């Protein structure tokens, strides 16, 4: 006699499990090899909730047909232990009421960051995707957002901790139960005060240590050495403040130093008469704003001039890669922007395909994102040439440092009215010094001077862009 147990899970209102089986009788004259292999495998299948099946018998279940043939010598013993549900609860507690706010993915080249500050307090109400903390990386500042609407129950990490993508930062309660409200001035990371007994022990220890010290006579301290009038008088340490560098500042410092150590830096200068470009801006600024909704600035004129110069001197747009030179057939111009947290360099993609209005709109959008810290890594990645405008801060002349792995950088400076000789007469002209720092390993002085000369010609006479001369 051979029994085959088949099981079937049935969900009902009472969440009960039932097992249905059918028994097949195998005559002694029939070879057991005729039994299907699938049925043979089912003989030893046991559910966790049924315990040990000792022998087999007919089982009639509610809702099932009772016209089953009884089989001899079969008894079924099923355990009546309750069935425990199998919970599936990613990022939630046992009650399903809490969710975890974790550090998001920060980019291919960024593996960790510093928890700069919390934007919310324990007990604050947050909505879906609302920022609750800021992560400071080597390049950008990233927000940690709430995955669900609820109340902040607990902070897991502390400000200043180094966190990685996937690390838990806070626990959010959907219903707001079990949340202790903390005043804004209080910090959740404050340590709990020690018990009163520990305080007594701490107070008692200094008394025991100071008792023998009082018995010994104090030695008179030697008088401070007299300093000569020429000796340097250093200020006291109490008048100094030590503040750790931000990750962005450390990253900028490392890249600039690597640029000096790697490249053969050389800078060439020229000066530009801004009369015609300023007149062009003055004549069309109102119509430009009315049509395009953005102001016409000098940066778009210099970007168009740089595009023309890069097309005339493609070696300036190239880069050294090992023993090879990579020539780029596209022009992505990086614009250096100074922010309160450090220098960032967003990129204008395919600048050669843009007009003045598109360039001004792109610069305006990227500058706003850089200042409020919402700029992404993709918006700063790449770039084949950089323009740095120190003139907005009043810089008269400077030698900019190349942004690796690029090969050159253009420096703009302030516009100053100076006496110039025009047509044999001395007249005042709005002049600007421009500087080109380049990698002398790749770019010779001839190409650098021709490049800077092209910038000067286009800015002084913007009609060259229209005629392509």
């Amino acid at each position: 006699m051979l029994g085959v147990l088949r099981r079937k899970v049935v969900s009902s209102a009472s969440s009960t499990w039932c097992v249905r089986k059918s028994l097949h009788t195998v005559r002694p004259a029939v070879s057991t090899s005729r039994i299907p292999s699938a049925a043979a495998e089912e003989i030893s299948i046991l559910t966790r909730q049924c315990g040990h099946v000792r022998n087999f018998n007919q089982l009639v279940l509610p809702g099932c047909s009772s016209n089953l043939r009884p089989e001899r010598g079969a008894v079924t013993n099923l355990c009546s232990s309750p069935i425990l549900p199998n919970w599936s609860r990613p990022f939630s507690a046992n009650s399903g009421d809490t969710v975890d706010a974790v550090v998001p993915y920060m980019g291919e080249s960024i593996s960790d960051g510093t928890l700069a500050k919390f934007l919310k307090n324990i007990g604050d109400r947050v909505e879906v995707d609302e920022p609750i903390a800021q992560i400071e990386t080597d390049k950008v500042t990233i927000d940690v957002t709430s995955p669900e609407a609820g109340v902040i129950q607990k902070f897991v990490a502390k400000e200043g901790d180094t966190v990685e993508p996937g690390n838990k930062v806070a626990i959010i309660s959907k219903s707001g139960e079990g949340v202790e409200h903390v005043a804004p001035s209080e910090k959740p990371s404050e340590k709990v005060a020690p018990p009163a007994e520990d305080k007594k022990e701490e107070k008692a220890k200094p008394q025991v240590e100071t008792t023998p010290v009082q018995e010994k006579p104090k030695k008179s301290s030697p008088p401070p050495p007299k300093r000569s009038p020429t000796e340097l008088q250093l200020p006291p340490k109490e008048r100094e403040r030590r503040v750790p560098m931000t990750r962005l500042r450390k990253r900028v410092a490392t890249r600039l130093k690597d640029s000096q150590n790697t490249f053969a830096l050389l800078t060439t200068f020229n000066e530009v008469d801004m009369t015609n470009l300023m007149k062009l801006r003055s004549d069309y600024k109102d119509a430009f704003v009315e049509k395009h909704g953005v102001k016409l600035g000098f940066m778009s004129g210099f970007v168009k001039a740089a595009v023309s110069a890069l097309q005339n001197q493609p070696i300036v747009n190239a880069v050294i890669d090992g023993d090879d030179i990579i020539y780029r057939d596209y022009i992505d111009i990086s614009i250096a922007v100074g922010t309160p947290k450090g220098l960032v360099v967003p990129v204008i993609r395919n600048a050669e395909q843009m007009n003045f209005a598109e360039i001004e709109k792109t610069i305006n959008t990227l500058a706003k994102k850089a200042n409020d810290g919402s700029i992404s890594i993709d918006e700063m990645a790449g770039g084949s040439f950089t323009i740095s405008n120190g003139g907005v801060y009043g810089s008269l002349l400077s030698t900019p440092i190349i942004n690796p792995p690029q090969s050159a950088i253009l420096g703009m400076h302030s516009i100053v009215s100076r006496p110039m000789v025009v047509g044999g007469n001395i007249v005042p002209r709005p002049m600007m010094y421009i500087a080109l720092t380049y990698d002398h390993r790749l770019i010779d002085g001839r190409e650098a001077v021709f490049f800077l000369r092209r910038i000067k010609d286009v800015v002084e006479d913007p009609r060259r862009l229209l005629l392509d001369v």
Side-chain angles (χ1 to χ4, degrees):
M1 182 78 64
L2 178 63
V4 179
L5 174 65
R6 299 182 182 273
R7 58 178 182 175
K8 179 178 181 183
V9 178
V10 180
S11 60
S12 63
S14 60
S15 300
T16 59
W17 293 54
C18 63
V19 179
R20 180 179 181 181
K21 67 182 182 71
S22 62
L23 299 176
H24 299 273
T25 304
V26 181
R27 298 178 182 178
V30 180
S31 174
T32 58
S33 60
R34 297 176 56 187
I35 301 175
S37 60
E41 293 178 357
E42 293 183 0
I43 295 175
S44 61
I45 293 179
L46 301 175
T47 61
R48 291 182 298 173
Q49 292 77 13
C50 292
H52 300 283
V53 179
R54 296 178 180 176
N55 39 32
F56 297 87
N57 195 2
Q58 175 185 1
L59 176 66
V60 180
L61 298 175
C64 300
S65 174
S66 59
N67 296 326
L68 299 177
R69 292 183 302 168
E71 303 293 337
R72 295 179 298 174
V75 179
T76 304
N77 185 9
L78 300 177
C79 68
S80 61
S81 60
I83 308 304
L84 298 178
N86 185 16
W87 295 97
S88 177
R89 46 179 181 84
F91 303 108
S92 62
N94 291 336
S95 62
D97 179 61
T98 60
V99 292
D100 299 337
V102 299
V103 179
Y105 174 72
M106 297 183 289
E108 293 183 1
S109 60
I110 300 178
S111 59
D112 58 11
T114 301
L115 181 57
K117 63 178 179 180
F118 286 103
L119 304 178
K120 300 290 183 178
N121 297 313
I122 294 179
D124 288 353
R125 176 76 184 179
V126 292
E127 302 298 331
V128 179
D129 295 333
E130 183 176 357
I132 62 176
Q134 286 186 343
I135 306 296
E136 190 177 77
T137 68
D138 299 341
K139 298 180 180 180
V140 295
T141 300
I142 299 174
D143 292 334
V144 178
T145 59
S146 174
E148 298 285 347
V151 179
I152 298 178
Q153 186 181 73
K154 180 182 178 182
F155 287 144
V156 179
K158 299 179 181 179
E159 293 184 359
D161 289 353
T162 300
V163 293
E164 298 178 356
N167 288 161
K168 187 189 302 183
V169 172
I171 300 176
I172 298 173
S173 173
K174 299 179 184 178
S175 62
E177 298 179 356
V179 178
E180 297 180 1
H181 292 269
V182 180
S185 59
E186 298 179 359
K187 293 183 179 179
S189 59
E190 291 180 354
K191 296 181 179 180
V192 180
E197 297 179 358
D198 296 342
K199 292 183 178 179
K200 293 181 181 179
E201 294 178 2
E202 292 178 359
K203 292 180 179 179
K205 288 180 180 179
Q207 295 177 359
V208 176
E209 295 176 358
T210 55
T211 302
V213 175
Q214 295 176 355
E215 296 176 356
K216 296 181 180 179
K218 296 182 179 180
K219 296 182 180 180
S220 59
S221 58
K226 296 181 179 181
R227 298 180 179 178
S228 60
T230 59
E231 188 176 353
L232 179 63
Q233 299 286 339
L234 296 177
K237 296 295 184 181
E238 291 78 10
R239 298 177 60 185
E240 299 178 352
R241 292 184 299 114
R242 183 181 294 271
V243 179
M245 293 178 64
T246 62
R247 297 177 68 95
L248 179 60
R249 175 61 59 187
K250 289 189 289 186
R251 179 62 174 171
V252 171
T254 301
R255 287 178 60 84
L256 293 178
K257 190 57 183 175
D258 291 343
S259 177
Q260 285 186 330
N261 296 338
T262 304
F263 299 153
L265 301 178
L266 185 60
T267 306
T268 182
F269 302 92
N270 211 321
E271 58 182 358
V272 178
D273 187 349
M274 300 289 293
T275 302
N276 292 331
L277 186 59
M278 293 177 68
K279 186 178 185 302
L280 177 69
R281 179 190 182 191
S282 177
D283 292 343
Y284 296 101
K285 62 179 182 180
D286 295 335
F288 193 87
V289 173
E290 183 179 354
K291 181 176 181 179
H292 302 291
V294 65
K295 294 182 179 180
L296 176 61
F298 295 134
M299 184 60 73
S300 57
F302 276 89
V303 170
K304 295 295 292 184
V307 168
S308 178
L310 290 170
Q311 290 173 343
N312 280 271
Q313 301 294 330
I315 190 65
V316 182
N317 200 42
V319 65
I320 295 177
D321 184 18
D323 296 332
D324 301 327
I325 299 176
I326 300 177
Y327 287 89
R328 301 185 177 102
D329 295 329
Y330 59 90
I331 298 177
D332 291 347
I333 295 184
S334 306
I335 305 296
V337 179
T339 66
K341 296 183 179 181
L343 183 68
V344 296
V345 191
V347 181
I348 302 175
R349 308 287 181 186
N350 299 317
E352 74 278 7
Q353 302 176 7
M354 294 184 177
N355 55 27
F356 281 78
E358 292 171 341
I359 293 174
E360 290 291 350
K361 290 178 181 179
T362 304
I363 293 175
N364 190 30
T365 302
L366 294 176
K368 288 181 179 180
K369 289 184 177 181
N371 286 317
D372 60 22
S374 62
I375 192 168
S376 65
I377 298 176
D378 295 337
E379 292 172 323
M380 296 189 296
S384 58
F385 183 77
T386 299
I387 298 178
S388 176
N389 186 9
V392 295
Y393 307 111
S395 173
L396 180 64
L397 193 63
S398 67
T399 57
I401 300 178
I402 297 175
N403 178 27
Q406 300 173 12
S407 299
I409 180 173
L410 175 67
M412 299 169 53
H413 302 90
S414 59
I415 302 173
V416 179
S417 181
R418 296 199 301 270
M420 302 296 295
V421 178
V422 179
N425 299 320
I426 299 177
V427 294
R429 290 287 189 176
M431 304 299 296
M432 175 194 288
Y433 287 119
I434 56 176
L436 178 70
T437 300
Y438 57 96
D439 186 0
H440 209 348
R441 302 177 304 166
L442 177 64
I443 304 170
D444 295 331
R446 174 179 176 273
E447 287 81 7
V449 172
F450 284 171
F451 179 90
L452 212 56
R453 183 69 188 185
R454 179 63 181 177
I455 296 283
K456 174 181 172 66
D457 293 340
V458 172
V459 173
E460 291 183 346
D461 189 3
R463 294 174 299 179
R464 291 177 176 271
L465 295 174
L466 180 61
L467 300 176
D468 192 19
V469 295

